[in-house]
Amino acid sequence: MSFLEGALLALTLTLPFAVYRLVKGPTLPDRVVGLDLITSVSVAMAALYALVSGQTAFLDVAIALALFAFLATLGLARYIEYRGHKGD
Amino acid sequence: MVDLLVYALASVGIFFLFVAAIGVVRMPDLYNRMHATSKAGTLGVGLILVAVAVFYHELSVAARALSALAFIILTAPVAAHALGRAAYLSGVKPCEDTYIDELAGHYQKNHRLESVEVKPPVADPSE
């Protein structure tokens, strides 16, 4: 196992912390924070896998994942802000 | 030599992602947890992307990695601000150790920030 494969393995150990926050809550914005950290770690894993496998196409995966994470966070924030307000 | 630099950058990036993960679990309230993800998490991902840009000696790969880095640096504060504002307006309370809430009473019903009409109390010079 090379150093970068070990680094990829170490990166997966951060995921249970974020999943804990995603499951436990206690409020909806807390869950969104956990989801945000999960996508950040996924972007980092895609970038590291571009190093491990030598296929630079995984950088495009990282860019698309970051874009979707940003849009999802904005959409969920807008939902949290305006839920319950009819007509908004 | 370049390999050592790549390994160092990736290791420091993974360390900061660990810091973000521990902060998300251990911090007392939502606003502190958002500091952990938006600062330490962004730094960790950014260092790993810099490691990718250093590892490949090609302009096209480095440009993609650095553009991903620029995108993350630009969007992480925007997302954190939108989420924090939404949480504050939907009534998520800070933890009990917080004793200054400068936004209290400044938001109107339509979620506009009212900063002009509410003035802080001025000390009376005659006393």
Side-chain angles (χ1 to χ4, degrees), chain A:
Chain A
M1 189 166 74
S2 71
F3 179 84
L4 289 174
E5 287 171 347
L8 201 55
L9 199 61
L11 205 49
T12 59
L13 296 180
T14 64
L15 283 176
F17 295 99
V19 172
Y20 170 81
R21 188 49 67 195
L22 178 68
V23 172
K24 183 124 183 300
T27 63
L28 186 54
D30 280 306
R31 294 176 209 273
V32 180
V33 166
L35 196 65
D36 216 13
L37 186 59
I38 288 175
T39 51
S40 288
V41 173
S42 303
V43 170
M45 285 172 80
L48 262 187
Y49 196 70
L51 285 188
V52 172
S53 70
Q55 292 182 343
T56 58
F58 280 97
L59 279 177
D60 298 334
V61 176
I63 293 174
L65 210 53
L67 176 63
F68 274 111
F70 174 59
L71 291 180
T73 305
L74 278 192
L76 283 168
R78 186 165 173 82
Y79 165 66
I80 289 167
E81 186 171 341
Y82 289 107
R83 65 178 163 177
H85 294 266
K86 293 288 186 291
D88 265 326

Side-chain angles (χ1 to χ4, degrees), chain B:
Chain B
M1 187 61 200
V2 174
D3 277 356
L4 275 183
L5 183 59
V6 169
Y7 293 165
L9 284 170
S11 304
V12 177
I14 289 170
F15 169 75
F16 276 107
L17 279 172
F18 258 115
V19 170
I22 292 170
V24 150
V25 173
R26 293 286 296 163
M27 283 291 184
D29 66 353
L30 170 78
Y31 305 103
N32 288 319
R33 284 173 205 137
M34 274 178 13
H35 279 288
T37 57
S38 67
K39 293 188 180 72
T42 306
L43 182 57
V45 176
L47 284 173
I48 289 175
L49 284 169
V50 171
V52 175
V54 170
F55 183 78
Y56 289 105
H57 293 286
E58 296 174 48
L59 185 61
S60 65
V61 179
R64 270 189 282 169
L66 293 181
S67 65
L69 173 61
F71 179 78
I72 287 173
I73 286 179
L74 283 177
T75 56
V78 178
H81 174 258
L83 189 60
R85 173 189 152 92
Y88 187 84
L89 286 173
S90 67
V92 176
K93 293 280 174 254
C95 67
E96 290 180 357
D97 290 335
T98 308
Y99 55 92
I100 293 178
D101 185 0
E102 299 219 351
L103 282 177
H106 283 265
Y107 269 113
Q108 300 168 339
K109 281 271 195 237
N110 56 1
H111 296 186
R112 297 272 178 201
L113 194 60
E114 181 183 35
S115 57
V116 181
E117 298 183 11
V118 180
K119 290 197 175 82
V122 181
D124 195 353
S126 65
E127 289 179 359

